[in-house]
Amino acid sequence: MFYKGNPVSKGIALGKVYVYKPYTPEITEKTFEPFRIDEYLQRYKDTKASAEMELQRIHALLSDKDPEKAKIFAAHIDIVNDVAITEEIMDAIQYDHFEPDYAIETVFSKYIKMISKSKDPVIRERAADFQDVKNRLIRNWHGIEESNLSTLSEPVVVAAYDLLPSDTAALDRKNVIAIITETGSFTSHSAIIARSYEIPAILGIPSLMSFIRHGEEVIVDAISGDLITEPGKEQIEQYTLMRSQYIKKVRESKEYLDKEPLTKDGVRIDIGLNIGSGNDEEIGHSQFSDFVGLFRTEFLYMSGDSMPTEEQQFEVYKNVLSGFKDKPVYLRTLDIGADKTLPYLDLPKEENPFLGCRGLRLCFDQINIFKTQLRAALRASVFGKLCIMLPMVSCIEDIRSANAIIEEVKSELSEIGIPFDSNVKIGVMIEVPSAALIADMIAKEVDFASIGTNDLCQYITAADRLNPKVTQYYQSYHPALFRLIDYIVSSFNKAGKPISVCGELGGDPQAIPVLVGLGLRRLSMSSSAVASAKAVLSNFTMDQMKEMAQQVKMLPASEDVIEYLVKTQNIKE
Ligand code: PEP
Ligand code: MG
């Protein structure tokens, strides 16, 4: 039987299923006789202490092996010891005579509900941590031993409804050959952990827990998103071969990191980096890239609890520009709004935030924030090759207004004698269909552009990129997206202006040959995607990639495109 889900961490695995059902408490309202208050308060304190001890043990275990994951547990220790939560639980025991498990359930549920409603996806993700700590406390109250995925006796495909941070952080990496879940999307905890451990994973398989059986043999094809149960002998042979070819390919591609990005017939494709914080690690990656195709400056704004000052921004921009020396840096101006919020900036609630006041629109609305950023960037421009990139452009007027503001900032700097590079290039992200459809006009108004396929895909398919209910409609391989990219690229190539892709598609090995075939010569991606991008390029000639692009444009459905690309890239032969 074939089932479909979202492949969030690529790879192929064949093996036995281990159905993992984490402890899920069933709590009913329970109260006790008032004379037992002291006893229950003491027992709650003991419960809290033993939960904390468990967490300290996991934290210590991970501190050396994996400091990043250790941080998750440090945060859980903080939640266990949170003063407000502890006080509320103790009050519920003392004054309402709730039994501790019911008190824990009541208080934590209130917080989880609150956090889940946050507009900020980063805060929303924290609900899983609170859920995790709640379950741990209740399990300890009932004196039940912890069961997790840290000790497995043989290699297995872990199947679960969902995986909480503590399930995945202590995961026995050797023995988990794949992860399949009923819920979850590209940004969920399970997906992030699976990718960082390079474990193939398919999430969001509808009704998984109702049909999957513990111990049964399955094939997990986390390239195309297929889960195959009860596989036949032929399928097993076919996928075993595919698996070894895929592993070989990944191993080989890692060797490509330092190589020049050339197609099989020697055409140079420039590889850019998508960066966020502008720290030294990111700057260190400059050696194997040609430019920064996307500097997401909003990370600077999102990481602190107040607006970064002009001086703070100047220091970061200067560091990045001088780090990349003569390599162009596409500094994207503040792209806040919709999924990205700033805790210290009170923005009015919108019915449709993705269609609302985000990106450049917000900058026009909060002109001082915009001008501060432009001043910091222009001042830093003397240290490297600054290119200013405007997000969420939907019409020519946007470009004209932004240009006028940039000119204003330039003359203000000139008046007070502050130097800047007068030759700074101004470009846009093409991520809104209205802008894409007038790419020929836009090309006349800007120095360069970069295609933001993440947003372009959500707007062209009318599928919110964060809404798990519509992931099947958010189709990155939708032929419409490729047709639109074709139009944008040919418009810019005709105008002789640089065009690149900086959305996720730009670093997707399966999509890269198509993008190059459509005429792109500049691709920007996260540093982890560079090696395989270079490897893929070396596999195909320009003619082959052009042919692939032509074919893809003529296919009717996203699944046809995926099938075609998998076949042509010989992963499955
Ligand atoms: C995009 O939309 O493709 C993009 C690169 O920007 P972001 O993902 O930050 O919206
Ligand atoms: Mg975008």
Side-chain angles (χ1 to χ4, degrees), residues 33 126 186 253 551:
E33 296 289 325
R126 294 222 61 205
F186 199 79
S253 73
Q551 292 292 335

Side-chain angles (χ1 to χ4, degrees), residues 332 335 358 429 431 455 465:
R332 178 171 74 183
D335 189 15
R358 60 169 296 210
M429 298 228 13
E431 50 186 349
D455 276 316
R465 63 196 261 192

Side-chain angles (χ1 to χ4, degrees), residues 274 293-294 296 298-299 332 335 339-340 354 358 389 391 429-431 450-459 465 474 501-505:
N274 292 354
L294 173 62
R296 287 186 163 100
E298 59 275 9
F299 280 85
R332 178 171 74 183
D335 189 15
D339 55 329
K340 300 173 206 149
F354 272 118
R358 60 169 296 210
M389 183 158 72
M429 298 228 13
I430 299 199
E431 50 186 349
S450 183
I451 309 173
T453 50
N454 306 343
D455 276 316
L456 190 56
C457 181
Q458 81 163 338
Y459 292 130
R465 63 196 261 192
Y474 182 95
V501 169
C502 63
E504 287 302 303
L505 210 62

Side-chain angles (χ1 to χ4, degrees), residues 208-251:
L208 174 70
M209 298 311 276
S210 67
F211 64 78
I212 203 80
R213 282 174 292 118
H214 192 78
E216 73 171 315
E217 291 285 336
V218 293
I219 295 172
V220 178
D221 177 355
I223 296 167
S224 51
D226 292 334
L227 168 70
I228 304 169
T229 58
E230 299 167 35
K233 193 166 161 275
E234 253 177 45
Q235 280 173 314
I236 293 177
E237 278 169 13
Q238 179 198 354
Y239 278 90
T240 307
L241 181 66
M242 271 163 50
R243 182 178 168 275
S244 53
Q245 284 173 336
Y246 181 76
I247 291 171
K248 188 164 157 257
K249 206 167 180 159
V250 170
R251 203 174 300 133

